[in-house]
């Protein structure tokens, strides 16, 4: 009996110390909103709860989400890795976690934490069993064991893009008092959408206030570290989906109660506005640092709080891959003042026709203003084809990012510095997004995109990065290298050669005509799509007559995998009236087919709906239901 009493006493002491030396951590997150809050100096905003949290805590003036859309941003957070390194950069996609890695809640659970997520996940990475103790609309820290520290996320959806266009709407903010950014036309529709956005941010703030009051009422505020952030920029067009500052800049407010102030960022004090550059890739290592766990080497971010916090970093990074049904490859970064974007597909506009984006009234009236010749130069940038190969903006003098300084000799040194930083990151993380999405999956068969990319025999990154850079540079003197690339044994080199010729229009096709005709029948369907795209768009009538049926064949989901079909349909969509001869054939193409994951399943249908002039169907704004995986056709 005495022994039993001693054992029980020891257990209680251990259990007490177990919880006492670990803080609770609460993340309050919201969707689709930038730093449009009072604490960030926005006097039009009504956000009293987060303003109060910032007054007693600290905010980061320059926090980036890395990805400008929910799935890409959340994929960054859950792994602590840049999605271009894991293959998870594309909107609503699915790849495997790298071998030997874990999602961060697994590590927190191993350290004794009760981990809940309420409730959106939307990861582009396969989730193992046991990532969360509970992830659902009912998940709550209340369900933990007595004395157990918790890590809890509550995600607010009321500020999502879909809510900006919901009518009828009870107004809080006056549309007449909205500040319309220089890139948007000043119309009643745009003012209404912006005002409604501010209304939804107010509701998100109120939701956060309720969660904070709940914590206080439970007597847990003194032992709970609090983070508030949004998952990317606002849901307005040219914010969400585009990886410039307006698409990536998010509010991030942190509060460390006095009991845990020793774990706060070094610059932490009440009301401080930190200049430290932080981004979503830093959140997982920061969490681990806070609970006393050394972040694993495979995590690519830097802890900005806790016992293992690092020194401030000189840059934070962003990216854009396929955005729903539209392909693209963009990389970006900022040093806090200048924003740099590298467009690896400059022949495509910033505003490719993403069907879901066109549900917002502002998008439609903005496009009409451009088509009618009524858009200002600043308002036209979003729609113009081609877009600049490189973009450079000074946030001090140009916070709306509408005056591209990339060609300005006065900023040549800054441009070179940021370009080098972007390329260095690509090499460091082994950026796998330079492969066509389907090619990435094919090369990764039997392993993961991350592990494949770390095998130079499977993925000769330095050569591919150089080829992509030459192709997208738009420099005439790159043509010799592009022509030579058609003979390369690696299909990725041939792909970028074909894309580089396509980007250069008629002049490019004339210079590499023989190579492109041969490439139209390349063993890689992605090379063939690019070559036929160029021949149909810039070739002769006879060449177009041959290329168009080839694109139809490549777009047939019953004959090719979903990635080839999407690529071909993107090409056809870019042809405009030149695709009229195949209009009836497009109507006969299948809108359904086999897919390696349900998350890819709806995009071919959207592309066909756009080409055929019909209304696309959209899945719920959240995560689509999981379905049994099927192996993709080669």
């Amino acid at each position: 009996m005495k022994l039993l009493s001693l054992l029980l006493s020891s257990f209680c002491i251990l259990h007490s110390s177990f919880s006492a030396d670990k803080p609770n951590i609460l993340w309050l997150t919201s969707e689709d909103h930038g730093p449009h809050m009072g604490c960030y100096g926005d006097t039009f905003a009504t956000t009293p709860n987060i303003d109060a949290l910032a007054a007693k805590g600290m905010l980061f003036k320059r926090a980036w989400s890395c990805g400008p859309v929910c799935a890409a941003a959340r994929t960054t957070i859950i792994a602590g890795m840049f999605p271009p390194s894991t293959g998870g950069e594309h909107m609503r996609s699915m790849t495997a976690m790298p071998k030997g890695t874990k999602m961060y809640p697994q590590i927190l659970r191993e350290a004794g934490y009760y981990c809940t997520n309420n409730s959106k996940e939307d990861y582009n990475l396969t989730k193992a069993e046991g990532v969360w103790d509970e992830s659902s609309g009912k998940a709550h820290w209340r369900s933990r064991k007595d004395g157990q520290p918790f890590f809890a996320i509550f995600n607010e959806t009321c500020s999502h893009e879909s809510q900006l266009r919901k009518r009828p709407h009870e107004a809080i903010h006056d549309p007449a008092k909205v500040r319309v950014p220089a890139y948007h036309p000043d119309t009643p529709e745009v003012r209404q959408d912006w005002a409604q956005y501010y209304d939804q941010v107010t509701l998100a703030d109120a939701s956060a206030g309720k969660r904070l009051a709940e914590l206080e009422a439970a007597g847990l505020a003194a032992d709970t570290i609090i983070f508030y952030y949004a998952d990317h920029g606002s849901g307005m067009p040219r914010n969400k989906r585009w990886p410039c500052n307006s698409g990536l800049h998010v509010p991030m407010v942190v509060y460390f109660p006095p009991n845990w102030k020793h774990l706060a960022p070094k610059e932490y004090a009440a009301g401080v506005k930190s200049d430290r550059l932080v981004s979503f890739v830093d959140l997982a290592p920061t969490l681990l640092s806070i609970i006393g766990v050394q972040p694993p080497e495979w995590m690519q971010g830097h802890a900005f709080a806790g016992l293992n916090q690092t020194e401030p970093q000189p840059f934070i990074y962003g990216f854009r891959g396929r955005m729903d049904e539209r392909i693209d490859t963009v990389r970006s970064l900022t040093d806090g003042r200048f924003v740099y974007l590298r467009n690896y597909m400059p022949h495509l506009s910033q505003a490719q026709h993403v069907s879901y984006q066109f549900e917002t009234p502002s998008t439609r009236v903005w496009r009409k203003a451009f088509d009618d010749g009524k858009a200002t130069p600043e308002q036209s940038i979003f729609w113009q084809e081609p877009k600049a190969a490189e973009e450079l903006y000074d946030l001090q003098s140009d916070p709306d990012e509408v005056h591209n300084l990339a060609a300005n000799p006065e900023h040549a040194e800054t441009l070179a510095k940021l370009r080098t930083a972007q390329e260095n990151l690509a090499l460091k993380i082994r950026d796998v997004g330079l492969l066509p999405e389907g090619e990435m999956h094919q090369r990764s068969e039997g392993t993961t995109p991350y592990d494949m990319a770390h095998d130079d025999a499977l993925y000769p990154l330095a050569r591919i990065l150089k080829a992509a850079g030459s192709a997208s540079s738009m420099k005439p003197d790159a043509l010799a290298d592009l022509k030579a690339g058609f003979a390369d044994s690696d299909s990725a080199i041939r792909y970028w050669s074909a894309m580089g010729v396509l980007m250069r229009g008629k002049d490019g096709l004339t210079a590499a005509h023989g190579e492109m005709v041969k490439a139209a029948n390349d063993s890689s369907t992605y090379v063939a799509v690019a070559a036929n795209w160029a021949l149909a768009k810039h070739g002769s009538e006879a060449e177009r007559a041959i290329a168009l049926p080839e694109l139809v064949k490549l777009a047939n989901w019953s004959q090719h995998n979903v990635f080839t079909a999407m690529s071909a349909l993107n090409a056809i969509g870019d042809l405009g009236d030149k695709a009229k001869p195949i209009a009836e054939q497009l109507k006969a193409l299948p809108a359904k087919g086999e897919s390696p994951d349900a998350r890819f399943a709806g995009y071919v249908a959207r592309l066909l709906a756009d080409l055929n002039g019909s209304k696309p169907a959209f899945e719920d704004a959240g995560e689509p239901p999981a379905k049994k995986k099927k192996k993709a056709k080669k």
Side-chain angles (χ1 to χ4, degrees):
M1 191 70 171
K2 193 172 182 180
L3 178 61
L4 178 60
S5 178
L6 182 62
L7 288 171
L8 285 171
S9 176
S10 298
F11 173 79
C12 290
I13 292 170
L14 286 170
H15 190 60
S16 174
S17 63
F18 165 74
S19 59
D21 65 1
K22 289 183 171 65
N24 301 315
I25 304 169
L26 175 66
W27 278 6
L28 302 175
T29 70
S30 54
E31 303 204 25
D32 300 16
H33 82 78
H36 302 96
M37 311 187 88
C39 55
Y40 277 86
D42 192 325
T43 57
F44 188 59
T46 309
T47 52
N49 295 290
I50 300 306
D51 293 350
L53 186 68
K56 69 176 184 178
M58 185 183 84
L59 65 77
F60 291 97
K61 288 160 54 176
R62 190 68 65 196
W64 268 21
S65 61
C66 298
V69 70
C70 50
R74 293 166 188 274
T75 299
T76 308
I77 297 171
I78 198 67
M81 305 172 76
F82 290 104
S85 76
T86 64
E89 71 179 275
H90 301 290
M91 178 55 179
R92 296 268 153 76
S93 59
M94 185 57 63
T95 60
M97 282 286 289
K99 294 176 182 178
T101 67
K102 298 176 181 178
M103 293 182 171
Y104 75 79
Q106 294 171 279
I107 303 174
L108 267 68
R109 292 189 68 200
E110 290 168 359
Y113 273 78
Y114 181 73
C115 297
T116 61
N117 178 56
N118 187 335
S119 65
K120 187 171 182 177
E121 294 183 354
D122 212 7
Y123 315 134
N124 291 336
L125 293 165
T126 305
K127 189 180 73 167
E129 291 294 326
V131 170
W132 298 100
D133 284 285
E134 184 174 359
S135 180
S136 74
K138 296 180 180 180
H140 202 288
W141 46 259
R142 288 197 188 107
S143 301
R144 73 198 188 285
K145 296 175 183 177
D146 289 343
Q148 185 178 12
F150 68 78
F151 168 73
I153 299 176
F154 292 95
N155 181 69
E156 180 54 64
T157 62
C158 70
S159 50
H160 186 267
E161 170 189 16
S162 58
Q163 302 307 300
L164 310 188
R165 54 204 186 212
K166 193 174 182 180
R167 308 288 191 272
H169 172 74
E170 186 175 340
I172 300 173
H173 295 84
D174 182 358
K177 297 180 180 179
V178 163
R179 176 194 174 269
V180 178
Y183 47 82
H184 280 165
D186 192 344
T187 70
E189 295 88 350
V190 171
R191 286 186 169 274
Q192 171 63 37
D193 288 348
W194 267 115
Q196 191 158 328
Y197 159 74
Y198 274 92
D199 293 350
Q200 300 308 123
V201 172
T202 295
L203 297 180
D205 175 84
S207 174
K210 290 178 182 178
R211 295 296 181 188
L212 293 171
E214 186 176 67
L215 191 74
E216 192 76 41
L220 296 170
D223 281 310
T224 303
I225 295 169
I226 300 165
F227 281 47
Y228 177 89
Y229 63 87
D231 66 351
H232 50 74
S234 91
M236 291 291 283
R238 220 286 323 238
N239 293 186
K240 186 173 183 176
R241 300 183 181 87
W242 189 245
C244 61
N245 188 64
S246 69
L248 299 172
H249 191 190
V250 295
M252 186 173 290
V253 177
V254 300
Y255 172 67
F256 286 72
N259 292 352
W260 302 102
K261 194 175 178 181
H262 62 284
L263 297 176
K266 293 176 182 178
E267 68 271 29
Y268 183 89
V272 164
K273 296 183 177 182
S274 174
D275 289 317
R276 184 192 294 247
L277 303 178
V278 298
S279 72
F280 280 8
V281 77
D282 301 324
L283 285 173
T286 297
L287 270 179
L288 299 185
S289 178
I290 287 172
I291 69 168
V293 173
Q294 178 71 42
E297 289 186 7
W298 47 261
M299 283 190 174
Q300 295 164 346
H302 299 83
F304 55 80
L307 300 176
N308 299 299
Q309 65 181 282
T310 65
E311 292 302 310
Q313 297 299 301
F315 307 107
I316 45 178
Y317 301 87
F319 63 89
R320 167 180 160 114
R322 175 179 52 76
M323 204 53 64
D324 289 342
E325 68 267 33
R326 300 297 175 182
I327 60 172
D328 206 348
T329 306
V330 186
R331 300 293 181 262
S332 59
L333 73 149
T334 184
D335 61 3
R337 175 180 173 180
F338 290 96
V339 175
Y340 171 79
L341 292 93
R342 180 63 185 266
N343 293 308
Y344 284 98
M345 295 186 177
H347 61 303
L348 304 172
S349 78
Q350 295 180 10
Q352 291 186 72
H353 194 281
V354 175
S355 299
Y356 196 70
Q357 184 169 258
F358 271 78
E359 294 293 297
T360 301
S362 288
T363 310
R364 298 194 297 271
V365 299
W366 187 9
R367 178 71 211 197
K368 188 175 188 306
F370 176 76
D371 289 342
D372 293 345
K374 296 179 180 179
T376 66
E378 293 83 1
Q379 295 160 9
S380 299
I381 297 168
F382 190 58
W383 306 98
Q384 287 171 342
E385 292 181 1
K387 57 181 180 276
E390 294 181 297
E391 301 175 57
L392 181 69
Y393 301 103
D394 183 350
L395 294 176
Q396 285 187 7
S397 60
D398 180 27
D400 288 337
E401 301 165 285
V402 292
H403 300 296
N404 186 4
L405 304 174
N408 188 328
E410 294 180 13
H411 296 281
E413 185 177 341
T414 298
L415 180 72
K417 179 182 75 171
L418 299 187
R419 180 195 299 131
T420 298
Q422 183 268 313
E423 292 175 348
N424 285 345
L425 182 76
L427 292 167
K428 180 179 179 180
I429 68 171
R430 304 288 298 183
D431 189 329
V432 75
L434 299 173
L435 288 175
E437 188 175 7
E439 177 85 5
M440 176 192 74
H441 286 284
Q442 288 175 10
R443 294 193 189 201
S444 302
E445 191 169 348
T447 184
T448 75
Y450 177 91
D451 293 289
M452 175 274 292
H454 281 72
D455 183 342
D456 213 58
L458 294 173
Y459 187 54
L461 173 58
R463 293 204 309 119
I464 293 172
L465 179 62
K466 181 181 178 182
S470 295
S472 58
S473 70
M474 303 305 290
K475 294 177 180 177
D477 60 6
L479 273 167
D481 287 341
L482 295 179
K483 291 180 69 173
F486 284 100
D488 202 282
S489 61
D490 193 299
S491 61
I493 305 296
R494 303 197 304 276
Y495 170 77
W496 282 111
S497 286
M499 290 293 285
V501 172
L502 167 66
M503 293 171 198
R504 286 160 175 76
K506 289 185 178 180
D507 289 344
L509 184 59
T510 298
H513 186 267
E515 290 86 352
M516 289 294 270
V517 170
K518 183 178 179 181
N521 295 299
D522 196 277
S523 58
S524 165
T525 55
Y526 309 103
V527 177
V529 165
N532 281 291
W533 186 352
L535 290 164
K537 188 170 186 176
H538 304 300
S540 66
E541 291 288 343
E543 288 168 337
R544 185 176 305 123
I546 296 171
L548 286 174
E550 288 301 313
L551 287 171
V552 173
K553 291 178 186 177
L554 290 161
N556 192 327
W557 197 353
S558 68
Q559 297 179 16
H560 297 283
N561 66 38
V562 65
F563 306 108
T564 296
M566 282 195 289
S567 297
L569 290 169
N570 269 271
I572 293 168
D574 182 59
L575 297 177
D577 288 345
K578 291 180 179 179
K580 280 186 176 180
I582 56 173
E584 291 305 312
Q585 296 174 60
L586 294 176
K587 292 177 182 178
L589 287 175
K592 295 182 179 180
E594 291 187 0
S595 174
D597 191 272
R599 289 166 76 82
F600 303 105
Y603 296 130
V604 167
R606 289 194 199 181
L607 288 160
L608 287 171
D610 183 49
L611 288 168
N612 296 328
S614 56
K615 180 78 173 176
F618 301 110
E619 70 269 13
D620 183 80
E623 191 172 5
K627 294 182 181 179
K628 187 177 180 181
K629 293 182 180 181
K630 294 181 180 180
K631 189 175 180 180
K633 297 183 182 75
K634 291 285 186 77

